[in-house]
Amino acid sequence: MEQYIIKGGNPLVGEVNIGGAKNAALGILAAAVMSNETVKIENMPNVNDTKVLLQAISSIGAQVQRIDDNTVEINGSNIQSLCIDDGFIRKIRASYYLLGALLGKYKKARVALPGGCAIGSRPIDQHLKGFRALGAKVTIENGMIKAEADRLVGAHIYFDVVTVGATINVMMAATMAEGRTILENAAKEPHIVDVANFLNSMGADIRGAGTDVIRIRGVHRLKGAEYAIIPDQIEAGTFMCAAVATKGDITVKNVIPKHLESITSKLLEMGAQIEESDDAVRVVATRRCHPTNIKTLPYPGFPTDMQPQILIALGLCDGTSIVTESIFENRFKYVDELARMGSNVKVEGNTAFVTGISEYRGANVTAPDLRAGAALVIAGLAAEGYTTVDDIHFIQRGYENFEGKLRSLGGMIEKVNNDKEAQKFKLKIG
Ligand code: UD1
C-alpha cells in the first residue's frame, strides 16, 4: 500500500501553482452532460475524485475525451443509461450531482443513495426536497434514489440548512425546468458561482449565485461551451497553513485572493505576514505564531475543509486556541492520530482546545479522510524526525501531485510502496 514518508524540520520556501477547484470541477463535470453539444473544460484538477466522476460519466454513455491532464471534452448527446450505480457513489459521493443533471435533462434518473462518511452522517434530504418541489417523484428503493417527472416546473424553494451539495444539485435540475425557480438560503461558496457561471456559459439563465437567493429561469436546451475552472481555495489554504506550520515562506500562485480572505485573516491574527497581489498570496511565518479561535461556517466564513490544516498550525503556537466545528459532527477524528506526534489537543463535542507545543515528533499515522490526511502531512513536514502517513488514497482524492509540489518547496517527502523504498528514502536523506 502506498504511503508517504516524510522527514520534517525544513521550512517550506518558494512558489507553488494552485490547480483548479476540485469541488467546482465535480459540479461542472456533472453539468456538462446536460448539453448535447461538446463542452471543453480547462483547469480541471487531475485528482482521483474527478477521474472517478469522469468514469461514471462514461459509464452512462457520454463521450469523455482527455485532451491533456487538465483539459477534458465531454459530449452528452449519446447518453443511454440514466443510472449511476453504487460503485461510483461509494468512491465519490459527489457522483450524486448526476442526479440533478440527468433529472433536469431527461426528467428521470437513478443514483445509488450515498451513505455517511468519515466526517459525519451527511443526509441528502435537502436535495430530495428540492427535486420534489420541482415536481419530481422521488423514491428510495433497494438503496437507489429514483427521481422522475412528467414535467419539471420551477418552484420557490427554501433550504432548511445552508448546503453546498443541494444548492448545486437543485440548481442544475431547475436549469432545465419550465419557468422560474427561486432558491432561498442557498450556499454562497465560490464553487457554486463557478458552476452557475459554467451553466450560464452553456445558455442557462441563473442569477444571484454567490448570494443566498438564486433565481433561475428554465431553458429547453443547453449548448456547447469552453470553460476554465476557478482555482482551488482549499488547496491554496493548505499550502498557506503549511507555510505557518513549518515557519516558512510560501507564495501560492494562480489564486483568487478574495476567496482566501477567511484564511488570510486568521493567519494574520496568528502573526503571519501576508502579501497579496492580483493572483497570488505570499505567507511568511519565520517566528512562532500566536493562538486564535476559529469556528467553521458556510462561505464567507472559515471553511470546514480547512479546519484540520489550520489546527496543525495552531498546535505549534505559543498558547491555547479554540477550534469549533459547526458543519460536520465528526471532523476531529484525526486528532487521535496527531496525538501520536506529541500534540496537546483535547476534544469535547464539536470543540477542540489546542495548546501549542514547541515541536511535533515524527510518528506513524493514518489519514482518516482527505483534508485531515493533508493536515497530517503538514504536521510531518513540521515535525522533528521521520513520519509515515498511511491511507494516502484519501489525499489523492483531492490534491494533484501533492508530494511533488511539497518537494518543490523544499519538503522532504516521498511516496513509497514498501519498507524497502522507505529505507532507501532514509538512506538518501540521511
Ligand atoms: C461540500 C463539499 C465539502 C465541504 C462541504 C461544506 C463538495 C463535493 N464537497 O460537501 O468538501 O466540506 O461542502 O463546505 O463540494 N446537510 C443536510 N441535508 C442535506 C445536505 C446537507 O442536513 O440535504 C447538512 C450536512 O450534514 C452538513 C451541512 O448541511 O452539516 C453542510 O453540508 P453540505 O454543504 O451539503 O456539504 P456537501 O455538499 O456534502
Side-chain angles (χ1 to χ4, degrees):
M1 285 293 264
E2 280 186 336
Q3 59 173 199
Y4 282 137
I5 179 155
I6 300 163
K7 182 166 186 214
N10 258 10
L12 297 187
V13 177
E15 296 181 343
V16 61
N17 270 319
I18 299 306
K22 171 187 82 83
N23 287 348
L26 297 174
I28 287 171
L29 293 175
V33 307
M34 296 175 76
S35 172
N36 282 337
E37 295 174 24
T38 299
V39 170
K40 185 175 185 183
I41 297 159
E42 292 167 354
N43 204 31
M44 184 195 68
N46 192 21
V47 293
N48 281 355
D49 271 13
T50 54
K51 288 179 194 162
V52 175
L53 185 56
L54 287 173
Q55 284 166 15
I57 288 171
S58 293
S59 78
I60 56 173
Q63 277 171 11
V64 174
Q65 202 192 343
R66 286 287 201 140
I67 308 297
D68 59 39
D69 276 358
N70 303 108
T71 311
V72 66
E73 283 184 355
I74 295 177
N75 185 303
S77 60
N78 261 330
I79 290 177
Q80 286 119 23
S81 159
L82 301 178
C83 179
I84 306 296
D85 72 36
D86 196 43
F88 293 111
I89 294 284
R90 276 184 195 279
K91 285 191 192 140
I92 163 199
R93 286 177 59 82
S95 313
Y96 63 27
Y97 284 147
L98 287 165
L99 190 56
L102 295 174
L103 178 66
K105 186 177 182 191
Y106 298 105
K107 317 298 170 231
K108 198 173 166 182
R110 270 160 36 109
V111 170
L113 184 68
C117 75
I119 59 175
S121 71
R122 303 187 84 168
I124 58 156
D125 55 304
Q126 299 302 305
H127 303 235
L128 306 189
K129 165 178 151 166
F131 297 144
R132 287 187 177 119
L134 296 174
K137 183 169 172 249
V138 183
T139 51
I140 295 174
E141 286 167 24
N142 305 324
M144 298 294 285
I145 312 165
K146 200 167 141 194
E148 53 190 324
D150 294 332
R151 295 165 62 202
L152 283 183
V153 181
H156 197 143
I157 299 164
Y158 196 104
F159 290 117
D160 301 334
V161 288
V162 178
T163 140
V164 170
T167 302
I168 291 179
N169 227 345
V170 179
M171 180 170 80
M172 288 196 289
T175 290
M176 294 188 85
E178 293 168 35
R180 211 166 156 205
T181 296
I182 301 178
L183 304 180
E184 300 226 39
N185 199 25
K188 297 182 279 199
E189 269 68 2
H191 41 287
I192 301 221
V193 181
D194 211 33
V195 177
N197 286 344
F198 169 65
L199 284 163
N200 284 342
S201 76
M202 291 200 294
D205 184 352
I206 303 171
R207 290 162 202 215
T211 74
D212 50 16
V213 183
I214 301 180
R215 294 166 203 277
I216 304 157
R217 244 179 229 289
V219 296
H220 291 300
R221 55 178 286 278
L222 293 169
K223 53 188 172 58
E226 284 190 18
Y227 194 81
I229 294 172
I230 52 163
D232 198 306
Q233 171 203 22
I234 306 300
E235 187 194 13
T238 301
F239 283 101
M240 290 162 72
C241 287
V244 174
T246 65
K247 298 196 182 72
D249 176 350
I250 298 179
T251 303
V252 288
K253 290 175 67 181
N254 181 33
V255 296
I256 300 174
K258 173 96 190 123
H259 294 168
L260 301 171
E261 270 174 2
S262 61
I263 303 162
T264 41
S265 71
K266 281 295 159 191
L267 297 182
L268 278 169
E269 274 176 39
M270 290 164 67
Q273 290 161 261
I274 310 260
E275 283 170 27
E276 277 182 17
S277 58
D278 283 352
D279 64 352
V281 175
R282 179 178 178 197
V283 181
V284 187
T286 43
R287 278 192 309 251
R288 196 170 183 204
C289 281
H290 315 303
T292 187
N293 297 337
I294 287 176
K295 183 172 184 182
T296 63
L297 287 169
Y299 190 83
F302 191 88
T304 174
D305 285 355
M306 281 302 305
Q307 179 258 98
Q309 302 90 313
I310 202 154
L311 186 143
I312 298 298
L314 293 170
L316 295 169
C317 287
D318 58 359
T320 299
S321 306
I322 300 174
V323 178
T324 309
E325 172 58 56
S326 78
I327 310 287
F328 293 113
E329 74 262 28
N330 200 8
R331 213 166 185 175
F332 284 125
K333 266 192 183 167
Y334 67 94
V335 163
D336 292 339
E337 294 298 307
L338 191 62
R340 292 163 169 264
M341 303 181 73
S343 66
N344 184 356
V345 182
K346 287 196 177 56
V347 175
E348 281 177 23
N350 68 344
T351 306
F353 299 89
V354 186
T355 302
I357 55 169
S358 57
E359 206 172 35
Y360 294 122
R361 289 187 308 273
N364 300 335
V365 295
T366 301
D369 63 65
L370 163 60
R371 303 303 171 186
L376 289 168
V377 169
I378 298 174
L381 288 161
E384 185 258 327
Y386 286 97
T387 294
T388 57
V389 182
D390 287 337
D391 282 354
I392 61 170
H393 57 92
F394 283 116
I395 302 172
Q396 290 161 346
R397 283 187 39 206
Y399 291 87
E400 184 172 343
N401 188 21
F402 196 38
E403 67 279 7
K405 289 184 180 184
L406 290 166
R407 268 200 300 270
S408 76
L409 297 168
M412 291 185 277
I413 174 169
E414 194 128 317
K415 191 161 62 183
V416 295
N417 281 297
N418 49 45
D419 281 353
K420 204 169 151 199
E421 287 179 16
Q423 286 307 330
K424 210 166 133 196
F425 172 80
K426 286 186 176 173
L427 281 172
K428 189 173 86 186
I429 297 293

